Amino acid sequence: EDKVVQSPLSLVVHEGDTVTLNCSYEVTNFRSLLWYKQEKKAPTFLFMLTSSGIEKKSGRLSSILDKKELFSILNITATQTGDSAVYLCAVLGGAQKLVFGQGTRLTINP
Amino acid sequence: ETGVTQTPRHLVMGMTNKKSLKCEQHLGHNAMYWYKQSAKKPLELMFVYNFKEQTENNSVPSRFSPECPNSSHLFLHLHTLQPEDSALYLCASSQEKDYSYEQYFGPGTRLTVT
């Protein structure tokens, strides 16, 4: 059965800190890994990763995929209170099925 | 209106009621999805429609019945629900056949079954 596991489940840091969120997966016929940010209701798309070792970057956020070790990390540098959210990792595998992890709840304290 | 919209935003229904959730996308996408998000559980994919054809049903109970009359509208018909069906129901859309493309989510309908 396809599985996506995120860690930590919850993280509290101070504004300005750097955080690393983890996502490991077991899926058949891996196609891509996606990161989403969910604040109040609707998740918003952050990154889609398909190739190992190629960092995707958007402002203070960056992400990289390791297809050999089956994981991805999402880094946020110089965190701000507006980064507080649940970060979701999802993997697209065989049968075009998108499987989500439990999410990491990130809280940034001023 | 742009993006993906969902109505109603909140719904309280009894176990014997029949109600429908509506989703509309204004992005020109051809694939639409229903997700269920329960407290402390991962987001669960329920149904996928691609060019109005249902391409995936993730073992969802028959008390949930989807309908996709065209590529811009998606409904979820609800009847004889159980209290454990209380959750946030999210609709999403994406471009055509490759679900790995970014999915745009609606704001969700918060459903409470009493």
Side-chain angles (χ1 to χ4, degrees):
Chain A
E1 187 182 334
D2 295 344
K3 191 165 65 171
V4 177
V5 177
Q6 291 185 245
S7 63
L9 293 182
S10 179
L11 183 59
V12 181
V13 300
H14 290 293
E15 206 167 16
D17 288 351
T18 293
V19 297
T20 298
L21 309 184
N22 303 290
C23 175
S24 63
Y25 61 90
E26 293 176 27
V27 294
T28 50
N29 302 318
F30 172 89
R31 295 185 60 188
S32 59
L33 184 144
L34 299 92
W35 283 98
Y36 292 86
K37 177 183 181 182
Q38 186 172 23
E39 291 179 84
K40 292 189 178 169
K41 284 199 176 169
T44 53
F45 175 83
L46 294 175
F47 299 111
M48 182 176 75
L49 304 156
T50 54
S51 302
S52 270
I54 297 174
E55 186 184 51
K56 292 235 175 166
K57 203 168 168 62
S58 175
R60 295 175 294 102
L61 276 68
S62 63
S63 184
I64 198 160
L65 174 67
D66 186 328
K67 288 166 75 173
K68 185 179 174 187
E69 301 297 329
L70 308 183
F71 77 91
S72 173
I73 58 171
L74 175 69
N75 276 322
I76 309 175
T77 58
T79 51
Q80 303 170 357
T81 54
D83 296 326
S84 296
V86 174
Y87 289 84
L88 297 166
C89 172
V91 176
L92 184 69
Q96 300 217 33
K97 188 173 176 177
L98 195 62
V99 179
F100 282 82
Q102 322 94 298
T104 293
R105 182 172 295 280
L106 177 64
T107 303
I108 311 295
N109 288 327
Chain B
E1 203 161 1
T2 58
V4 181
T5 58
Q6 288 185 244
T7 54
R9 297 291 299 275
H10 299 272
L11 178 62
V12 179
M13 60 186 286
M15 289 163 56
T16 57
N17 291 159
K18 286 186 182 181
K19 296 283 184 185
S20 295
L21 310 185
K22 180 182 174 184
C23 175
E24 186 172 357
Q25 59 95 2
H26 309 267
L27 301 167
H29 291 163
N30 288 315
M32 296 186 77
Y33 314 75
W34 278 118
Y35 287 91
K36 176 183 178 183
Q37 189 169 38
S38 306
K40 300 182 182 177
K41 281 189 178 180
L43 207 59
E44 299 171 60
L45 181 64
M46 299 175 72
F47 301 104
V48 182
Y49 276 82
N50 199 356
F51 288 99
K52 302 186 298 178
E53 298 295 323
Q54 188 182 128
T55 57
E56 187 146 352
N57 174 343
N58 276 0
S59 305
V60 180
S62 60
R63 57 187 185 269
F64 294 91
S65 172
E67 179 192 357
C68 189
N70 56 61
S71 56
S72 298
H73 294 87
L74 185 65
F75 295 89
L76 187 63
H77 303 300
L78 317 170
H79 64 98
T80 59
L81 294 192
Q82 305 296 312
E84 61 263 29
D85 296 322
S86 298
L88 180 69
Y89 289 84
L90 292 163
C91 171
S93 71
S94 72
Q95 189 71 310
E96 288 202 31
K97 53 189 175 181
D98 192 338
Y99 308 162
S100 67
Y101 275 68
E102 45 187 295
Q103 294 184 18
Y104 292 80
F105 285 81
T109 295
R110 172 71 63 189
L111 174 68
T112 304
V113 181
T114 60

